Amino acid sequence: MSKSGFPENFLWGGATAANQYEGGYLSGGKGLSTLDAITGGSPAKPRMITYKTKDGKIETCARDQALPEGAVGYVDPDQYYPSHVATDFYNHYKEDIALFAEMGFKCFRLSIAWSRICPKGTMEINEEGLAFYDKVFDELLKYGIEPVVTINHFDIPMYLADELDGWSNRKVIDYFLFFCETLFKRYKNKVKYWMTFNEINFLRSWTQIGIHKNDKQAKYQAAHHLFVASAKAVKLGHEINPDFQIGMMVAYIPSYPMSCKPEDVMEAIKFNREQEFYIDVQVKGYYPAHKLKEYERENVVIQKEAGDDEIIREGTVDYIGFSYYMSTVSASNPDQVKYVGGNQMPAVKNPHLQESEWGWAVDPLGLRISLCKLYDRYNVPLFVVENGFGAVDKIEADGTIQDDYRIDYFSKHIAAMKEAVELDGVDLIGYTPWGCIDVVSSGTGEMKKRYGFIHVDMDDEGHGTLNRSRKQSFYWYKQLIAANGEQEK
């Protein structure tokens, strides 16, 4: 243990996702992904799916709505799709990794585009796609940066969505396992840290998992297939390389009761259970009793094959990766409270907290609370794999970006994280703040909502040079990593 409280081998780094950062749309043999048919948007204008109906008519619907039966994703040449170029890691990976190394990164979290490796998501391999990630991992390792790989991050090959109805179809488990086996064998000496699915509790529609129905039966059946696939992947990965550390990833938003009124406390319990359900299955290895009771009440019947429960029990993960951006509040009278924006959902306003420009509650202590809750409940290593502050950055006349607001956000959250390690004894692997370089916003599809330490010249309509430049926070984070999290009082 260093004097800062963080272990000497603590993994400081940053996080991205292929569909928001990589670009390279259809380059090098890549196939279509569901997110390739999702338009840009804004807080006032939802991102849309473009699709074709059974009779060939081109239509659109909001990103989290269900597509009509028989509809297929469609890339309209008259629309702008942020994922197609994103911020172009595909052509800038050497430059970007050099900048990460300059900051002193110990690790870099990225996702692998399934349709770059298996263009249709089936058992056909695109060697050019594998070679691209070989080059990325070699470049990272050249600088001593540990790759942290999310196997699937918020999308599915479009063919599997359109032809098989995505994760509602059990066949997709086998295709995913083929994808995992390909990765595990190819990169077994280059990658140690893996996560199966990004924010598994937010996988709910055609956009993320290819399903055409969004009712509870459809979503929870798909979730069961995801659980089985994840458990099988964990077991397979450990067989290929026993040194692999394979985790899960959840969006963790702790909810506080609006008051000490027992009804408010019960509502907070219900809210937190919805996130913890996904962790329970993947860490404890079984469905919690409250979820089974919910299934009974809601007439949800999960179709299982013989051995599924044993697979889930045997395929528990090595660690919990989670995103933390905000907290929320639960109230027994939801029609009488104020709401603000939130991460993938509306959130009840906490009168004790300020919000970002996008309505996200800024709650550094909530990160310590989350770490304590998760470690007390599960007693496995934790990894904060997303945390960050979206804001509009101003470029000064001299070209600098003075993002003190971002530095203030990170400084307070890292201080809270340090307390969780130093005072509460939480076993924490590392910290990879979201969008260490500017990426397309997942929620709104914007570029002006920026998270990065590195600015990328690109606007909301896809115009710009893609030139990279360092923000003030770049130099701050570099110093923080060099001091292993120690900050001046």
Side-chain angles (χ1 to χ4, degrees), residues 55-285:
D55 58 6
K57 191 176 179 183
I58 299 170
E59 298 281 4
T60 64
C61 68
R63 179 184 61 168
D64 288 327
Q65 288 181 359
L67 295 190
E69 186 179 349
V72 297
Y74 174 71
V75 177
D76 184 342
D78 295 326
Q79 293 274 5
Y80 169 60
Y81 300 93
S83 72
H84 292 193
V85 175
T87 48
D88 203 26
F89 178 67
Y90 189 76
N91 292 303
H92 290 78
Y93 71 92
K94 287 189 176 182
E95 176 186 358
D96 291 353
I97 291 169
L99 286 165
F100 301 156
E102 184 182 335
M103 270 190 284
F105 277 21
K106 309 300 181 188
C107 73
F108 172 54
R109 178 185 173 224
L110 71 161
S111 69
I112 289 181
W114 187 350
S115 60
R116 193 175 294 287
I117 305 303
C118 304
K120 295 168 72 174
T122 56
M123 296 180 186
E124 298 173 12
I125 293 175
N126 174 34
E127 172 59 32
E128 197 171 344
L130 287 169
F132 168 71
Y133 292 107
D134 268 319
K135 291 185 288 188
V136 169
F137 296 144
D138 289 345
E139 197 71 14
L140 288 166
L141 294 171
K142 180 176 85 175
Y143 291 105
I145 299 173
E146 188 93 51
V148 177
V149 173
T150 314
I151 297 171
N152 183 230
H153 193 126
F154 269 7
D155 69 348
I156 184 173
M158 200 182 289
Y159 176 86
L160 297 184
D162 292 342
E163 299 299 322
L164 297 183
D165 198 26
W167 281 98
S168 68
N169 191 325
R170 193 175 175 103
K171 289 180 183 177
V172 174
I173 296 175
D174 293 332
Y175 291 134
F176 180 74
L177 263 290
F178 176 81
F179 174 48
C180 290
E181 182 176 14
T182 302
L183 301 184
F184 291 154
K185 287 183 175 178
R186 177 75 168 226
Y187 308 124
K188 67 179 180 181
N189 297 319
K190 297 182 180 182
V191 179
K192 176 182 178 182
Y193 292 96
W194 305 84
M195 282 169 280
T196 49
F197 297 100
N198 180 72
E199 292 187 336
I200 189 170
N201 52 323
F202 283 164
L203 304 183
R204 59 185 181 269
S205 71
W206 183 88
T207 303
Q208 301 102 11
I209 51 176
I211 61 176
H212 285 70
K213 292 182 181 178
N214 283 18
D215 59 277
K216 280 194 171 185
Q217 175 65 47
K219 286 192 284 190
Y220 281 129
Q221 183 63 56
H224 178 72
H225 294 156
L226 291 163
F227 290 143
V228 172
S230 178
K232 284 188 168 188
V234 171
K235 195 170 181 182
L236 174 66
H238 287 155
E239 289 169 359
I240 291 170
N241 186 343
D243 292 331
F244 280 167
Q245 292 293 298
I246 308 173
M248 60 155 296
M249 199 287 205
V250 67
Y252 199 71
I253 305 170
S255 186
Y256 312 132
M258 179 61 82
S259 73
C260 54
K261 182 181 175 183
E263 287 81 359
D264 288 349
V265 175
M266 192 67 229
E267 288 303 313
I269 288 173
K270 290 177 184 177
F271 182 96
N272 290 322
R273 274 178 172 171
E274 275 306 300
Q275 302 163 93
E276 290 158 357
F277 156 60
Y278 292 88
I279 313 175
D280 287 347
V281 177
Q282 294 186 273
V283 176
K284 294 183 176 181

Side-chain angles (χ1 to χ4, degrees), residues 170 227-235 281 285 305-316:
R170 193 175 175 103
F227 290 143
V228 172
S230 178
K232 284 188 168 188
V234 171
K235 195 170 181 182
V281 177
E305 286 193 359
D308 278 4
D309 290 339
E310 184 180 2
I311 289 165
I312 289 171
R313 189 167 58 250
E314 292 180 351
T316 54

Side-chain angles (χ1 to χ4, degrees), residues 227-485:
F227 290 143
V228 172
S230 178
K232 284 188 168 188
V234 171
K235 195 170 181 182
L236 174 66
H238 287 155
E239 289 169 359
I240 291 170
N241 186 343
D243 292 331
F244 280 167
Q245 292 293 298
I246 308 173
M248 60 155 296
M249 199 287 205
V250 67
Y252 199 71
I253 305 170
S255 186
Y256 312 132
M258 179 61 82
S259 73
C260 54
K261 182 181 175 183
E263 287 81 359
D264 288 349
V265 175
M266 192 67 229
E267 288 303 313
I269 288 173
K270 290 177 184 177
F271 182 96
N272 290 322
R273 274 178 172 171
E274 275 306 300
Q275 302 163 93
E276 290 158 357
F277 156 60
Y278 292 88
I279 313 175
D280 287 347
V281 177
Q282 294 186 273
V283 176
K284 294 183 176 181
Y286 56 85
Y287 279 72
H290 68 82
K291 185 56 68 174
L292 298 178
K293 285 295 184 182
E294 179 189 330
Y295 288 171
E296 286 181 18
R297 291 192 303 273
E298 302 284 345
N299 295 314
V300 171
V301 179
I302 302 300
Q303 299 297 323
K304 297 182 181 179
E305 286 193 359
D308 278 4
D309 290 339
E310 184 180 2
I311 289 165
I312 289 171
R313 189 167 58 250
E314 292 180 351
T316 54
V317 294
D318 299 313
Y319 66 91
I320 297 168
F322 71 101
S323 62
Y324 175 82
Y325 292 99
M326 57 176 287
S327 59
T328 189
V329 178
S330 294
S332 54
N333 55 341
D335 56 331
Q336 297 175 29
V337 297
K338 292 182 179 178
Y339 285 84
V340 294
N343 183 9
Q344 306 282 343
M345 60 171 202
V348 175
K349 179 175 175 57
N350 187 327
H352 304 288
L353 299 174
Q354 298 296 314
E355 292 97 28
S356 74
E357 186 177 342
W358 274 262
W360 296 24
V362 179
D363 181 12
L365 183 55
L367 178 52
R368 180 181 176 188
I369 290 168
S370 299
L371 287 162
C372 289
K373 286 183 67 177
L374 290 170
Y375 194 61
D376 289 351
R377 184 181 178 95
Y378 299 105
N379 200 32
V380 297
L382 305 178
F383 199 156
V384 180
V385 296
E386 288 185 31
N387 172 236
F389 187 73
V392 176
D393 292 332
K394 179 186 176 184
I395 302 176
E396 304 294 342
D398 63 359
T400 62
I401 297 172
Q402 306 298 320
D403 55 341
D404 295 322
Y405 40 86
R406 186 169 290 113
I407 293 170
D408 180 66
Y409 177 96
F410 281 125
S411 177
K412 290 174 179 174
H413 282 76
I414 290 168
M417 196 168 66
K418 179 185 174 186
E419 289 180 339
V421 173
E422 207 167 31
L423 303 180
D424 305 314
V426 170
D427 182 0
L428 188 60
I429 295 170
Y431 178 67
T432 56
W434 177 250
C436 48
I437 182 170
D438 289 344
V439 298
V440 174
S441 166
S442 174
T444 62
E446 296 173 288
M447 276 303 302
K448 72 176 181 181
K449 182 184 182 185
R450 296 178 182 271
Y451 287 87
F453 303 117
I454 300 165
H455 179 268
V456 179
D457 180 29
M458 172 73 86
D459 67 16
D460 291 345
E461 284 74 45
H463 304 129
T465 64
L466 291 168
N467 287 344
R468 274 67 168 146
S469 59
R470 300 162 184 80
K471 303 178 189 179
Q472 184 183 0
S473 56
F474 178 102
Y475 302 103
W476 174 85
Y477 194 47
K478 178 179 179 178
Q479 289 181 332
L480 180 121
I481 294 174
N484 199 24

